[in-house]
Amino acid sequence: VQLQASGGGLVQAGDSLTLSCVHSGGAFGNYALGWFRQAPGKEREFVGHISWDGSRTFYADSVKGRFTVSRDDAKTTVYLQMNISRPEDTAIYYCAAHRGPLSSIRVGDASEYRYWGQGTLVTVSS
């Protein structure tokens, strides 16, 4: 399985940005997908998750109500829509995949995801 993230860039606070992550090498519909981010000097943190069938989504408190995770199985792509961006959203964003269903209590655990994309940098200026 390979994941290719894209869509990062420089935006101003309050602007919107959509990240994409294309999944290849496996049956996309079998995978739950997550987004994580790592800011300079900080540890990687959970951002959001969408279940293998798209029926459930989960978000970190810091992005709830501003970010949306979605998936398009026909395009084998998962998206992260970032609205009302803030300078503290500046980070490298990574997509990750977990084969099969993932318990809701574990969606934020990076060790549960076997496959990772290379990351895309998002910079939000104030």
Side-chain angles (χ1 to χ4, degrees):
V1 171
Q2 293 185 326
L3 299 168
Q4 181 70 42
S6 63
L10 173 64
V11 297
Q12 292 189 331
D15 286 352
S16 297
L17 189 67
T18 299
L19 307 183
S20 301
C21 177
V22 178
H23 175 286
S24 62
F28 184 69
N30 290 340
Y31 289 84
L33 300 151
W35 286 96
F36 291 76
R37 67 186 181 186
Q38 187 165 17
K42 295 187 177 181
E43 293 188 354
R44 189 173 299 190
E45 65 174 1
F46 170 71
V47 175
H49 170 97
I50 188 165
S51 61
W52 66 275
D53 61 355
S55 64
R56 299 182 304 162
T57 54
F58 302 89
Y59 300 95
D61 288 344
S62 59
V63 306
K64 200 172 295 182
R66 299 188 299 120
F67 290 10
T68 301
V69 180
S70 62
R71 61 189 293 159
D72 184 334
D73 284 17
K75 296 182 178 179
T76 68
T77 300
V78 60
Y79 302 96
L80 180 67
Q81 173 72 40
M82 305 170 58
N83 295 327
I84 320 175
S85 57
R86 303 170 179 170
E88 53 265 38
D89 294 326
T90 295
I92 299 174
Y93 283 73
Y94 299 90
C95 55
H98 171 91
R99 192 175 190 279
L102 185 56
S103 171
S104 60
I105 64 173
R106 304 197 70 81
V107 297
D109 185 347
S111 68
E112 292 289 342
Y113 299 83
R114 179 175 181 181
Y115 306 100
W116 289 81
Q118 84 290 0
T120 185
L121 176 63
V122 174
T123 303
V124 183
S125 64
S126 57

